[in-house]
Amino acid sequence: MKFTGKNVLITGASRGIGAEIAKTLAGFGLKVWINYRSGAEAADAVKAEIEAAGGEAAVIGFDVSDEAAFVEAVKTIVDADGELSYLVNNAGITNDKLAMRMKVEDFEDVIRANLVSAFVGCREALKAMGKKRFGAVVNVASIVGETGNAGQVNYSASKGGMITMTKSFALEGAARGIRFNCVTPGFIATDMTDALKEEIKEAFVARIPLGRFGDPKEVAEAIAFLLSDHAGYITGETLKVNGGMNMA
Ligand code: NAP
């Protein structure tokens, strides 16, 4: 895969899956805009690694839950590069609790960070990309948005909403040639899954046909495919990256 003369904004790219998406897409020739919320040093380190490998990167700090900041960030990128070619809505949080103990604030915070932010990103991308009649967006949802999960009514609602929202954006974007797709990772080795207790990790691995957690690179490469012209006839789709877990 090769991208030439194009850029991409990746939200939540200071660590985990987002950092790997940034490195992978830069390796395929894209200028990457690395977004972070609090991890400025980590974001700078991702940029330095990309540049050391001969790629092009810029860092843009903002909280994706802040609509005005997200709108401003897209404007900054378009002003700097003349366009926003691609967007990956990757930033996400969890705040797990059993439903009976979950406050409305716990629910709303996760919906705002994961789903409302992706809505704002998709909307601003559609406006910016629509002007050029070129672009593609990938939203990073989750297997939990397809299956549900005990202790994650807030997170699963945010990711399930993201899957159907992506289809609706795909329908609205199609006339302008803008594609919107989702990936739904299963269990991927990052800080988010590191937080799980060892016995819970083992129980999950037992349910994964490929017998291991995924590597962030395996998610990043699926995203690169969906953004690329190789996926030029794919829109509104959800690509599962879960080691076969949906079959188990
Ligand atoms: P992670 O290691 O916890 O990293 C999360 C990233 O998102 C960090 O860069 C963080 O930046 C950023 N972020 C969080 N809230 C933000 C906000 N309000 N504004 C801007 N950036 C924000 O998570 P991950 O495991 O890489 O997950 C990445 C995405 O994949 C998430 O959407 C997650 O739901 C999804 N996913 C993960 C798994 C998995 O197994 N790991 C499975 C399915 C789906 P700062 O550090 O600067 O705050």
Side-chain angles (χ1 to χ4, degrees):
M1 263 177 296
K2 188 76 193 147
F3 298 83
T4 311
K6 298 290 174 195
N7 68 5
V8 59
L9 168 62
I10 304 144
T11 66
S14 54
R15 57 192 166 88
I17 295 171
E20 195 54 54
I21 298 167
K23 290 180 223 169
T24 299
L25 293 181
F28 286 132
L30 281 169
K31 173 181 178 183
V32 297
W33 287 82
I34 300 160
N35 160 251
Y36 69 93
R37 177 188 47 180
S38 55
E41 273 179 32
D44 284 341
V46 175
K47 177 177 185 284
E49 199 178 325
I50 288 170
E51 288 173 344
E56 200 183 347
V59 168
I60 186 157
F62 65 94
D63 182 340
V64 294
S65 305
D66 179 341
E67 179 186 7
F70 208 150
V71 170
E72 190 56 33
V74 172
K75 189 174 175 308
T76 300
I77 293 168
V78 173
D79 286 348
D81 293 348
E83 67 178 50
L84 174 66
S85 324
Y86 304 105
L87 168 68
V88 181
N89 281 309
N90 165 77
I93 60 165
T94 52
N95 183 0
D96 300 351
K97 288 183 179 78
L98 289 174
M100 287 202 291
R101 296 199 192 118
M102 190 176 288
K103 297 194 174 99
V104 167
E105 300 88 81
D106 301 324
F107 190 88
E108 283 180 344
D109 286 351
V110 173
I111 296 289
R112 175 152 283 279
N114 296 0
L115 181 60
V116 179
S117 67
F119 156 68
V120 172
C122 288
R123 185 190 69 194
E124 294 310 303
L126 184 52
K127 286 189 212 163
M129 293 172 187
K131 286 188 187 138
K132 297 267 174 181
R133 303 220 154 222
F134 179 91
V137 176
V138 173
N139 292 323
V140 181
S142 167
I143 188 172
V144 163
E146 302 170 299
T147 61
N149 198 22
Q152 292 195 311
V153 294
N154 48 4
Y155 183 76
S156 58
S158 74
K159 297 299 189 178
M162 193 182 244
I163 292 168
T164 44
M165 182 182 78
T166 302
K167 292 178 202 279
S168 302
F169 267 109
L171 288 166
E172 293 197 19
R176 295 181 174 86
I178 317 302
R179 297 181 297 104
F180 290 82
N181 290 294
C182 261
V183 290
T184 50
F187 286 84
I188 310 299
T190 68
D191 293 347
M192 195 176 265
T193 45
D194 258 6
L196 296 170
K197 288 188 187 135
E198 216 40 56
E199 61 265 30
I200 294 181
K201 281 190 204 170
E202 281 165 23
F204 280 129
V205 168
R207 288 174 46 205
I208 301 171
L210 287 181
R212 60 176 175 86
F213 277 16
D215 187 281
K217 183 102 187 148
E218 293 169 315
V219 179
E221 286 179 340
I223 291 170
F225 164 69
L226 286 173
L227 292 179
S228 77
D229 291 346
H230 296 285
Y233 202 48
I234 300 176
T235 194
E237 192 50 82
T238 303
L239 181 54
K240 297 175 168 71
V241 188
N242 62 23
M245 205 174 170
N246 56 301
M247 301 182 294

